Amino acid sequence: MSKKLTHNKIHRGGPDPQAEKSQVVSAVEGLASSTKSTVKSNRTRLIVLLVLVLATILAVQLFQEIKAGQEDQLQENLYLLTSSPPAAGQEDSRVSAMRELLQTVKGQPQEKSFYLEIVATLLEQADPAVAASANPFSLTPITADSNDDGDTSRKKLLAAAGQLAGEANERFGSDLDEWNQKIQAMVNEDTDKSWLGKPRAYRLLVPEKKASSK
């Protein structure tokens, strides 16, 4: 008899499963209600935040596409300026276009390579004997051209190559010292010998015959 009473007493003193279940349900419902209320009150902010995130992602993708397109356009412009020599009388405009391109890429990673490519191209176009695939650090001496028009064109291209090589050396430092020195020596040597092989611009004086005295 005492065992039964003790069992009933212990049983009656334990937690009620139904009460615990009700408390859990109540807590979950309260949390859900609180969350719903919080979301509802901050819905506008959440929407704005989501829009900003999506706009940022789209802006980054658009910027990358624009940058890639610009780089492709710059490479195309370089190819157009270096793929063929300028027509006679168009040397100055070609060099001006090359300078504009170099200004466009100023401060960008490809600036140095553009300088090297343009200078190498000017040297090659000054003398077709220079191989198109020649390394700009391994230069071939320029040969003389007996044609006056060709000589003028060669001088303009060589002068431009020398100027741009000097500018590149100033911008990128000692890495281009030896390269620049070779180009300047080449340009100066061609200038120093430019008078060779040309007809004299003066006429030797012929002594006058004196009248014979009688």
Side-chain angles (χ1 to χ4, degrees), residues 62-74:
L62 180 61
F63 174 77
Q64 291 176 345
E65 291 180 0
I66 292 175
K67 187 176 181 181
Q70 290 176 341
E71 291 178 354
D72 291 343
Q73 184 62 52
L74 291 173

Side-chain angles (χ1 to χ4, degrees), residues 44-114:
T44 302
R45 295 180 183 177
L46 292 173
I47 293 174
V48 171
L49 180 61
L50 179 61
V51 170
L52 289 176
V53 171
L54 292 176
T56 301
I57 294 174
L58 291 175
V60 171
Q61 292 179 345
L62 180 61
F63 174 77
Q64 291 176 345
E65 291 180 0
I66 292 175
K67 187 176 181 181
Q70 290 176 341
E71 291 178 354
D72 291 343
Q73 184 62 52
L74 291 173
Q75 289 293 339
E76 182 179 352
N77 292 343
L78 178 65
Y79 172 78
L80 292 175
L81 292 175
T82 57
S83 59
S84 61
Q90 299 298 317
E91 296 85 4
D92 292 335
S93 60
R94 175 64 63 84
V95 173
S96 296
M98 288 177 169
R99 286 187 172 277
E100 290 179 4
L101 180 59
L102 289 172
Q103 284 297 316
T104 302
V105 298
K106 187 175 182 179
Q108 300 185 27
Q110 65 267 47
E111 181 184 5
K112 183 177 180 180
S113 64
F114 273 42

Side-chain angles (χ1 to χ4, degrees), residues 2-167:
S2 60
K3 291 183 179 180
K4 184 176 181 181
L5 291 174
T6 303
H7 175 74
N8 290 338
K9 184 177 180 180
I10 295 174
H11 180 73
R12 285 195 301 271
D16 187 358
Q18 294 296 330
E20 289 184 354
K21 183 176 180 181
S22 298
Q23 291 177 357
V24 172
V25 172
S26 178
V28 171
E29 290 178 349
L31 180 61
S33 177
S34 177
T35 303
K36 182 178 180 181
S37 177
T38 302
V39 171
K40 185 176 181 180
S41 62
N42 296 323
R43 182 172 55 186
T44 302
R45 295 180 183 177
L46 292 173
I47 293 174
V48 171
L49 180 61
L50 179 61
V51 170
L52 289 176
V53 171
L54 292 176
T56 301
I57 294 174
L58 291 175
V60 171
Q61 292 179 345
L62 180 61
F63 174 77
Q64 291 176 345
E65 291 180 0
I66 292 175
K67 187 176 181 181
Q70 290 176 341
E71 291 178 354
D72 291 343
Q73 184 62 52
L74 291 173
Q75 289 293 339
E76 182 179 352
N77 292 343
L78 178 65
Y79 172 78
L80 292 175
L81 292 175
T82 57
S83 59
S84 61
Q90 299 298 317
E91 296 85 4
D92 292 335
S93 60
R94 175 64 63 84
V95 173
S96 296
M98 288 177 169
R99 286 187 172 277
E100 290 179 4
L101 180 59
L102 289 172
Q103 284 297 316
T104 302
V105 298
K106 187 175 182 179
Q108 300 185 27
Q110 65 267 47
E111 181 184 5
K112 183 177 180 180
S113 64
F114 273 42
Y115 263 106
L116 297 178
E117 180 69 21
I118 287 176
V119 171
T121 297
L122 290 171
L123 293 175
E124 177 190 347
Q125 293 176 353
D127 187 348
V130 179
S133 59
N135 188 315
F137 290 95
S138 178
L139 304 175
T140 304
I142 299 295
T143 57
D145 190 343
S146 60
N147 183 277
D148 288 341
D149 293 337
D151 185 66
T152 301
S153 176
R154 186 184 76 254
K155 285 182 178 180
K156 290 182 177 180
L157 297 177
L158 280 177
Q163 292 172 0
L164 293 178
E167 293 177 9

